[in-house]
């Protein structure tokens, strides 16, 4: 395939120490692509693996010419490895999938059918999660609940990055310059017609999870801070409360002084402390509010995203 022709479909999978599953992954994805027909590529990103993942990519690429292997300099983490793959892929439609076969590539035809009916994004939504510990399921459930509460974007629960997106959605995603990327949230934020497709999540085909607890916590922090300034706003709330408490102390000590039941020196001390602490917290809150706006601005997300244009000199779809 030369540079100019664009495959109808790209399958993009980040891979970190996945030597055990890659041959099986490419075989299964390849079979699905054969069934779907049309041109396709399978973009595999080696995220600085420590095992033979890169060598195995070479082997599978020799067997299946649709395979494109990309190797990163070092381990960048799931979301950035995926971003690398997404910026390399050239397909008209793009399937994002994990390499461990937890998400069945066999769903692709159903996803394509939904997209043919006008969906911009078809995301897989997990019905059950096999082979995952109670702890993993509980933390995942808590994660989606907190995200749902704190963010103003409607991020669907029980959804990974497994989804089919249009080139238009992908181009917008790639144009979002933020450094801490929570891709499933960013795609939800883009909007358009997002349709769920339910499926049963399987256990890993081989290898083990690359998301130990610390990574999950970091992921959650990224997710929340990327879509919410609620934690910053909390300082504003506390500021108001502390200011009110401080002012109450101020009044209380002054009144006490006038009624004459006070230790000498206590009044001025309490009055000053109450006022100053209250004001300090309030100021912190105000700084928090501005910082939140600055942060939003700094993310540099597009203000709006045009989906289609009809009429005018362009005459129809852009
Ligand atoms: N992954 C990656 N870089 C990392 C960690 C994970 O590219 O630093 C890939 C991994 O190979 C897999 C996907 O991201 O294809 C999801 O990781 P994993 O299956 O370990 O997460 P889980 O399904 O347990 O949440
Ligand atoms: Mg997995």
């Amino acid at each position: 395939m030369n540079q100019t022709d664009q495959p109808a479909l790209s399958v993009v999978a980040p891979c970190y120490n996945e030597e055990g599953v890659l041959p099986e992954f490419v075989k299964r994805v390849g079979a699905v692509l054969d069934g779907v027909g049309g041109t396709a590529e399978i973009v595999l990103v080696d995220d600085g693996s420590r095992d033979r993942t890169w060598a195995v990519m070479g082997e599978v690429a020799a067997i299946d010419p649709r395979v494109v292997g990309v190797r990163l300099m070092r381990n960048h983490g799931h979301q950035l490895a995926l971003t690398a793959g997404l910026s390399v892929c050239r397909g008209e439609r793009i399937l994002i999938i994990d390499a461990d076969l937890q998400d069945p590539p066999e769903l692709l035809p159903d996803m394509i059918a939904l997209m043919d009916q006008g969906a911009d994004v078809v995301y897989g939504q997990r019905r059950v999660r096999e082979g995952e510990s109670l702890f993993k399921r509980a933390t995942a459930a808590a994660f989606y609940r907190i995200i749902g509460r704190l963010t103003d974007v409607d991020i669907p629960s029980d959804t990974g990055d497994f989804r089919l997106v249009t080139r238009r959605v992908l181009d917008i995603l790639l144009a979002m310059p933020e450094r801490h990327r929570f891709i499933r949230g960013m795609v939800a934020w883009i909007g358009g017609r997002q349709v769920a497709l339910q499926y049963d999540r399987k256990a890993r085909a081989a290898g083990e999870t690359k998301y130990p607890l610390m990574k999950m916590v970091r992921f959650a922090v990224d997710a929340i801070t990327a879509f919410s300034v609620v934690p910053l706003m909390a300082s504003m709330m506390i500021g108001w409360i502390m200011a009110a408490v401080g002012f109450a102390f101020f009044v209380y000590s002054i009144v006490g002084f006038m009624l004459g039941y006070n230790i000498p020196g206590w009044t001025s001390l309490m009055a000053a402390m109450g006022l100053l602490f209250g004001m300090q917290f309030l100021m912190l809150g105000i700084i928090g509010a501005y910082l939140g706006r600055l942060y939003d601005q700094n993310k540099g997300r597009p203000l709006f995203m045009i989906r289609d244009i009809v009429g005018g000199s362009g005459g129809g779809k852009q």
Side-chain angles (χ1 to χ4, degrees), residues 14 16 18 47 75 99-100 102 136 204 209-211 215:
Y16 180 57
E18 302 286 9
D47 186 18
N75 181 249
D100 59 7
Q102 281 193 287
K136 173 103 191 182
R204 260 181 166 273
T209 176
K210 312 300 185 299
Y211 267 102
K215 258 196 196 171

Side-chain angles (χ1 to χ4, degrees), residues 97 130 150 162 232 291:
I97 187 169
E130 279 175 32
L150 287 188
F162 181 41
L232 260 180
L291 197 63

Side-chain angles (χ1 to χ4, degrees), residues 165-185:
V165 303
T166 60
R167 169 53 59 179
R168 171 154 306 186
V169 168
L170 179 66
D171 283 343
I172 294 172
L173 180 72
L174 291 175
M176 289 160 83
E178 57 209 74
R179 303 186 61 81
H180 292 267
R181 301 180 85 79
F182 178 56
I183 292 173
R184 64 201 70 165

Side-chain angles (χ1 to χ4, degrees), residues 1 5-12 39-41 43 85-86 88-95 165-168 170-171:
M1 214 179 305
D5 41 47
Q6 184 182 29
L9 208 93
S10 294
V11 176
V12 180
T39 51
E41 62 176 2
V43 179
L86 292 174
V88 168
C89 79
R90 293 170 299 125
E92 191 55 50
R93 288 170 172 181
I94 301 94
L95 177 71
V165 303
T166 60
R167 169 53 59 179
R168 171 154 306 186
L170 179 66
D171 283 343

Side-chain angles (χ1 to χ4, degrees), residues 30-290:
V32 171
L33 293 177
D34 291 340
V36 168
T39 51
E41 62 176 2
I42 306 174
V43 179
L44 303 174
V45 181
D46 175 9
D47 186 18
S49 298
R50 293 166 188 280
D51 64 358
R52 292 189 65 253
T53 296
W54 180 242
V56 175
M57 275 184 195
E59 289 160 24
V60 292
I63 298 167
D64 192 330
R66 290 171 293 196
V67 171
V68 180
V70 178
R71 187 190 203 176
L72 301 186
M73 283 285 186
R74 59 171 171 84
N75 181 249
H76 282 78
H78 181 193
Q79 301 289 295
L80 292 185
L82 179 54
T83 306
L86 292 174
S87 52
V88 168
C89 79
R90 293 170 299 125
E92 191 55 50
R93 288 170 172 181
I94 301 94
L95 177 71
I96 301 173
I97 187 169
D98 284 352
D100 59 7
L101 290 170
Q102 281 193 287
D103 310 316
E106 289 74 19
L107 284 188
L108 181 61
D110 290 345
M111 290 178 148
I112 291 176
L114 286 169
M115 194 164 270
D116 286 339
Q117 290 164 27
D120 297 288
V121 174
V122 182
Y123 59 88
Q125 194 163 36
R126 301 154 190 165
R127 228 176 348 222
V128 294
R129 301 164 74 118
E130 279 175 32
E132 289 184 311
S133 65
L134 189 66
F135 177 73
K136 173 103 191 182
R137 274 178 292 157
T139 47
F143 173 66
Y144 286 111
R145 193 143 338 117
I146 294 172
I147 293 273
R149 276 285 184 80
L150 287 188
T151 62
D152 13 311
V153 188
D154 199 11
I155 300 171
S157 63
D158 281 325
T159 314
D161 287 319
F162 181 41
R163 60 193 65 215
L164 182 68
V165 303
T166 60
R167 169 53 59 179
R168 171 154 306 186
V169 168
L170 179 66
D171 283 343
I172 294 172
L173 180 72
L174 291 175
M176 289 160 83
E178 57 209 74
R179 303 186 61 81
H180 292 267
R181 301 180 85 79
F182 178 56
I183 292 173
R184 64 201 70 165
M186 292 161 77
V187 173
W189 182 86
I190 290 171
R193 260 191 69 191
Q194 310 227 354
V195 181
L197 183 64
Q198 300 235 316
Y199 72 107
D200 300 331
R201 190 155 212 238
K202 297 276 180 285
R204 260 181 166 273
E208 53 193 29
T209 176
K210 312 300 185 299
Y211 267 102
L213 183 63
M214 259 329 282
K215 258 196 196 171
M216 279 206 288
V217 170
R218 219 178 308 148
F219 189 57
V221 170
D222 271 356
I224 292 166
T225 51
F227 285 93
S228 167
V229 288
V230 170
L232 260 180
M233 292 304 167
S235 63
M236 187 75 151
M237 277 304 296
I238 295 171
W240 279 113
I241 295 168
M242 292 308 283
V245 171
F247 188 70
F249 251 114
F250 174 74
V251 172
Y252 172 76
S253 54
I254 296 285
V255 169
F257 173 74
M258 293 200 298
L259 298 182
Y261 45 82
N262 260 328
I263 312 159
W266 187 85
T267 308
S268 51
L269 208 67
M270 283 316 280
M273 262 177 54
L275 264 190
L276 286 180
F277 273 125
M279 269 168 58
Q280 208 167 39
F281 274 104
L282 192 61
M283 288 302 161
L284 268 182
I286 292 171
I287 290 174
Y290 279 100

